[in-house]
Amino acid sequence: YATWSKMSDFRLHDNLLSGSLPKEWSAMGELEVLSLGSNRFLGTLPSDFGILSKMSILRLEENTFSGSLPKDWSSMTALETLSLATNRLTGTLPPEFFQALSGLQYMYLYENFFSGSFPVEWGEITTLKAFSVFQNRLSGTLPTAYGRWTNLEALDFSNNKLAGSLPAEWNTMTGLQVLFGSSNLFVGTLPSSWSSLTNLQNANFSHNCLTGGLPESLVESWSPLVLIFAEFWEQGGEKCSGGNETSPFADVLDGIGSTPELP
């Protein structure tokens, strides 16, 4: 593959390709777009890809990759879109992963087996427009530091084991149009400070342990077009064990924070 040193755009998505990814592909130093989604690739994600400093779009969704998220990929400083959804990836989300990814806009990790908590350090990536970790095994609380994601338009962390209260500090995410946190173990009430999220079009917090009623400030400020599925259940009851449902995240994006179509 060293002879492909000038390759900048390589697409093999929607085929029946199998096997592991050759680490030798890292020799394609000019590569900007790599699209291998919807195949049968397996094995671990090559850490050698970290040297692909010009990579801006990396799509490996809908394969059977396993193992953890390579820390070395934080060296792909030009990365804007990373889609690893619907694989068999495991391990925790590395805190240092975003250290140099100052331009990352779209990140999809949904339908994998990631565990552990959200790294507080990820709050430093203020360029994010869409982020989904739907249907993993994440636990812990929602970091207040993610309130710095002021450019975010779509966020989905439903179908995990997240707990604690919903951060009032997220009232700074004023660009949010899609917010899904259903089927977790959240407690308390919906923060009244979220009345500043006036661009919301779809929100889902069903199948949690939320209590109380909708704060009056939310009723007054949120558009009547917002779809709120917030069932407030008594804590400690059988229904507070979370749920399991299919996230409509991909269906409702339709141009709202969606992964850009490959040209």
Side-chain angles (χ1 to χ4, degrees), residues 23 26 45-55 58 70-78 97 101:
K23 64 179 182 179
S26 61
L45 302 174
S47 59
D48 305 71
F49 280 16
I51 66 174
L52 298 173
S53 59
K54 294 186 178 181
M55 182 82 75
L58 179 56
K71 297 178 181 178
D72 292 340
W73 281 18
S74 62
S75 299
M76 291 191 280
T77 54
F97 188 75
L101 303 183

Side-chain angles (χ1 to χ4, degrees), residues 5-21:
S5 59
K6 296 182 180 180
M7 178 79 72
S8 63
D9 194 321
F10 191 26
R11 313 180 193 208
L12 294 170
H13 53 274
D14 295 317
N15 280 288
L16 299 174
L17 299 171
S18 59
S20 57
L21 296 185

Side-chain angles (χ1 to χ4, degrees), residues 27-121:
M28 295 187 283
E30 298 297 314
L31 199 60
E32 298 177 8
V33 176
L34 180 59
S35 178
L36 305 175
S38 300
N39 278 288
R40 298 176 180 175
F41 289 113
L42 47 73
T44 58
L45 302 174
S47 59
D48 305 71
F49 280 16
I51 66 174
L52 298 173
S53 59
K54 294 186 178 181
M55 182 82 75
S56 62
I57 298 177
L58 179 56
R59 300 188 61 171
L60 304 177
E61 70 274 4
E62 296 182 12
N63 283 284
T64 53
F65 292 114
S66 57
S68 59
L69 194 60
K71 297 178 181 178
D72 292 340
W73 281 18
S74 62
S75 299
M76 291 191 280
T77 54
L79 201 61
E80 296 179 358
T81 297
L82 177 61
S83 180
L84 302 175
T86 317
N87 279 286
R88 298 178 182 175
L89 299 173
T90 58
T92 58
L93 304 178
E96 64 275 24
F97 188 75
F98 278 164
Q99 283 182 345
L101 303 183
S102 58
L104 191 63
Q105 298 181 37
Y106 305 95
M107 187 171 188
Y108 302 112
L109 303 177
Y110 60 84
E111 293 180 342
N112 278 289
F113 299 94
F114 290 113
S115 58
S117 58
F118 281 121
V120 175
E121 292 82 353

Side-chain angles (χ1 to χ4, degrees), residues 40 74-75 90 172 189 209 212 215 222 235 239 251 255:
R40 298 176 180 175
S74 62
S75 299
T90 58
T172 53
T189 61
C209 307
W222 280 355
Q235 297 184 35
K239 292 182 179 180
D251 297 330

